[in-house]
């Protein structure tokens, strides 16, 4: 029998400014830091899959990258996508797509730390 994988077990975004990215996630998304993080990352207490922002890996240079993660879509579940969208707009966060229906509830995309595109759904 062959070995298979179960699915994503950890998701991290590589960022140039770890403190600013962590602050964005805490202040605008309401994420809470996990009890333990390695020194080069901030891990958040998200479930079922832990999410983190981390310093760049050796050999990664995002200096001239306007949209890191292009081609990757990361979705976050929220209790109220409409309210979250309004909060982000009020905080000056750029909303990238209009609210739309999806199989997972209302959804929209916004610009996260350092230009990553993030999607929120639910509610």
């Amino acid at each position: 029998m062959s070995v298979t994988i179960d699915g994503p077990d950890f998701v991290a975004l590589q960022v140039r400014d770890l403190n600013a990215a962590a602050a964005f996630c805490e202040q605008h998304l309401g994420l809470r830091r996990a009890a333990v993080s390695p020194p080069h990352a901030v891990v958040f207490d998200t479930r079922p899959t832990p999410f983190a922002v981390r310093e760049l890996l050796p050999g990664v240079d995002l200096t001239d990258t306007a949209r890191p993660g292009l081609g990757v879509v990361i979705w976050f579940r929220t209790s109220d996508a409409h309210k979250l969208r309004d909060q982000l707009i009020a905080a000056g966060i750029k909303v990238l797509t209009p609210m739309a229906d999806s199989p997972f509830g209302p959804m929209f995309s916004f610009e996260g730390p350092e230009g990553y595109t993030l999607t929120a759904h639910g509610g």
Side-chain angles (χ1 to χ4, degrees):
M1 173 184 247
S2 64
V3 176
T4 63
I5 61 172
D6 295 328
D9 191 43
F10 191 87
V11 175
L13 300 179
Q14 294 183 69
V15 295
R16 295 173 288 246
D17 186 335
L18 181 61
N19 292 329
F24 179 97
C25 292
E26 291 172 313
Q27 293 168 8
H28 299 297
L29 305 181
L31 298 181
R32 293 179 312 277
R33 292 180 187 224
V36 178
S37 292
H40 59 277
V42 174
V43 179
F44 297 99
D45 187 20
T46 55
R47 296 193 175 135
T49 304
F51 172 76
V53 289
R54 60 156 296 134
E55 293 174 355
L56 301 175
L57 291 166
V60 174
D61 181 4
L62 297 177
T63 303
D64 296 323
T65 304
R67 293 183 56 202
L70 187 60
V72 174
V73 180
I74 299 176
W75 287 51
F76 289 89
R77 184 177 44 250
T78 180
S79 60
D80 190 329
H82 292 279
K83 186 173 180 180
L84 177 63
R85 181 183 171 277
D86 293 345
Q87 287 175 196
L88 294 174
I89 290 171
I93 307 302
K94 186 176 184 179
V95 171
L96 302 172
T97 64
M99 189 69 66
D101 290 328
S102 81
F104 311 106
M107 55 81 63
F108 71 100
S109 295
F110 60 97
E111 189 173 276
E114 301 193 12
Y116 281 96
T117 297
L118 304 177
T119 299
H121 71 93

